[in-house]
Amino acid sequence: MNTLMDETLLLLKEASDNHGDKLVYSCSLSPQGMVLIDLICQYDLGIRIVTLDTGRLPKATYDLMASLTDKYGGILDIRFPDSEEVQNMVKSDGINGFYDSLENRKRCCAIRKIHPLQKVLKGKEAWITGRRKDESKNRADIQAVEDDPVYGLKKYNPMRNWTEKDVWAYIRDHELPYNALHDQFYVSIGCDCCTRAISMGEDPRSGRWWWENEDTLVECGLHVSSLKAPKGENESGDGI
Ligand code: SF4
């Protein structure tokens, strides 16, 4: 654990030294996000932490935001979608139109997640993610620092070598808050309407957009490569 922590801290400091206020951590409030927030605050790294409120998150996620504010103060910069874009989409597709077609679902993810993230990343040089290699086969090759072809930034992945077990050991040892839905067999938690609990042995990503075919389940969008997702269409986080 110490080696992992040292490696993570070193990369966070490197990112902070290299990019200063042109660096942002886009946090999905996942378990590894809890570790990163704790390290950033505990070691006073001064890295801006942004999270996206899509407007459709589960109550447990809002409760977690409140717990983080209680523990660390106002460290979370919470960003929201453009209200006019949401209103127009709801008018054309319906309030739950994302269930009707892949096109609608991508439009909803674009408006509620990608466009706000694009605004967060505008003018930045680099961003930090909480992605881990063991999350899926698509993430097995994550490097410490990558060129992000979608956003044209450096992408730092300080949690890439942590396993799920390492993350939960840190959370328990440090008594960190976490999303209560994880205690109800929810693994990857995003919007309430697009997230479900999974059964033992199921791919963790199958808890998201389960009504779509397997090819569209592999990534939530924000970290999909430009080869798989045209810009602005399906690059929706780190979990949200
Ligand atoms: S996860 Fe579902 S509700 Fe959330 S932005 Fe995507 S389609 Fe919309």
Side-chain angles (χ1 to χ4, degrees):
M1 178 67 83
N2 278 342
T3 312
L4 273 178
M5 259 190 60
D6 291 347
E7 178 188 273
T8 300
L9 275 172
L10 210 63
L11 194 61
L12 287 172
K13 282 180 182 156
E14 182 187 318
S16 181
D17 290 346
N18 286 346
H19 305 287
D21 62 2
K22 301 275 186 195
L23 172 73
V24 67
Y25 168 35
S26 170
C27 181
S28 68
L29 308 180
S30 63
Q32 56 267 31
M34 300 301 102
V35 176
L36 277 174
I37 287 175
D38 192 62
L39 291 175
I40 288 169
C41 294
Q42 207 190 126
Y43 290 89
D44 206 13
L45 298 177
I47 295 171
R48 179 188 288 191
I49 304 168
V50 172
T51 195
L52 306 179
D53 179 355
T54 63
R56 301 291 301 244
L57 300 177
K59 177 184 178 297
T61 303
Y62 294 109
D63 290 344
L64 176 59
M65 289 183 195
S67 298
L68 288 166
T69 303
D70 287 346
K71 184 172 174 64
Y72 301 107
I75 46 123
L76 278 183
D77 180 357
I78 305 171
R79 300 297 181 92
F80 303 89
D82 180 87
S83 58
E84 204 173 316
E85 272 193 289
V86 174
Q87 281 168 8
N88 288 339
M89 173 184 66
V90 168
K91 201 170 168 188
S92 72
D93 298 348
I95 194 72
N96 283 336
F98 44 81
Y99 289 131
D100 295 339
S101 69
L102 183 59
E103 187 190 358
N104 283 5
R105 201 274 283 169
K106 286 183 176 179
R107 179 162 39 247
C108 188
C109 282
I111 288 170
R112 294 183 186 275
K113 299 191 292 192
I114 297 168
H115 296 177
L117 180 70
Q118 285 170 338
K119 284 185 191 164
V120 167
L121 297 181
K122 195 172 176 192
K124 299 287 182 297
E125 294 174 356
W127 62 317
I128 291 169
T129 84
R131 297 183 308 153
R132 303 193 327 261
K133 287 179 183 175
D134 73 341
E135 286 176 300
S136 75
K137 59 180 185 292
N138 299 300
R139 296 187 173 184
D141 294 329
I142 295 173
Q143 304 298 307
V145 187
E146 298 174 332
D147 288 319
D148 185 333
V150 175
Y151 297 104
L153 307 175
K154 290 281 179 206
K155 186 190 268 191
Y156 289 76
N157 302 301
M159 298 299 290
R160 72 198 179 286
N161 290 327
W162 290 59
T163 64
E164 186 181 7
K165 201 172 155 192
D166 296 326
V167 169
W168 283 105
Y170 186 99
I171 288 173
R172 288 197 194 92
D173 289 351
H174 294 79
E175 298 181 346
L176 301 186
Y178 61 90
N179 196 314
L181 289 176
H182 290 303
D183 293 334
Q184 298 169 39
F185 300 101
Y186 285 74
V187 178
S188 172
I189 301 169
C191 292
D192 188 53
C193 41
C194 299
T195 301
R196 67 173 180 176
I198 63 167
S199 309
M200 291 284 281
E202 265 192 289
D203 185 321
R205 305 299 299 177
S206 65
R208 309 288 296 280
W209 306 294
W210 58 93
W211 62 92
E212 294 176 354
N213 70 46
E214 206 169 284
D215 289 344
T216 61
L217 280 175
V218 294
E219 285 285 358
C220 57
L222 295 175
H223 300 288
V224 174
S225 80
S226 57
L227 291 176
K228 289 178 183 164
K231 191 167 184 177
E233 193 173 281
N234 190 28
E235 320 127 22
S236 68
D238 191 15
I240 298 178

